[in-house]
Structure formats: C-alpha cells, structure tokens
C-alpha cells in the first residue's frame, strides 16, 4: 500500500538476529519511523519468493514502489542500519 517502505526480513529464531532486532527496534522508536517499516519472517516461502540465500537479516528499501537498495551483511551495527536509512531518506542525517 505504501510506495515508500523498508522491508526487514529475518529469522527470529536465531540468537544473532535477536541482537540486530533490538538495535533496529531502538532506531525505529527513536526516529518515529514505524509507519515505514514492514517486517517479514524468513520462511521457506519467503526464501523462495525473494530468492534469499543469506542467513542474516536483510533490509530492503522501496521508494515509489521500486527497490532502491538491499542491505545484507554478516554483521550489523547501529551505524550500518542508520546509514542505510539515511541513504534511503527514511531518517534525516544529523
């Protein structure tokens, strides 16, 4: 419905993912961007549909209904996530 969004895809059963989710949740709350974030649990169907091979969480930015960037790393820190959100105009650069 919203042409501008961040899709967050992850497997919430993995311990490493829980740490990243805590960081991301804090960024979402601190920047009041809940309306821009869509969460998808990484299931077999999602993996097939989106051709996902990574075991780590994946961030996908959409602007005007098109993918503008995909962020998939083995390790994330707050700076990685915030920079991704700034580049994709979800939060402002301070």
């Amino acid at each position: 419905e919203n042409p501008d969004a961040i899709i967050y895809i992850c497997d919430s059963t993995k311990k490493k993912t829980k740490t990243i989710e805590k960081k991301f949740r804090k960024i979402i709350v601190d920047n009041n961007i809940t309306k821009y974030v869509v969460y998808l649990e990484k299931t077999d169907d999602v993996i097939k549909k989106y051709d996902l091979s990574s075991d780590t969480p994946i961030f996908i930015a959409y602007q005007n209904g098109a993918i503008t960037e995909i962020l998939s790393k083995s390790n994330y820190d707050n700076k990685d996530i915030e920079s991704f959100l700034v580049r994709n105009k979800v939060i402002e650069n301070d």
Side-chain angles (χ1 to χ4, degrees), residues 52 58-61 67-72 76 84 87-88:
L52 303 175
I58 298 168
F59 297 86
I60 302 172
I67 294 175
T68 55
E69 183 178 357
I70 297 173
L71 179 65
S72 178
Y76 293 96
F84 173 80
R87 284 192 308 273
N88 290 284

Side-chain angles (χ1 to χ4, degrees), residues 21-34:
E21 280 188 19
K22 284 182 184 179
K23 293 175 185 178
F24 189 39
R25 192 174 304 128
K26 182 172 177 11
I27 293 169
I28 291 169
V29 171
D30 289 352
N31 290 281
N32 193 28
I33 59 171
T34 55

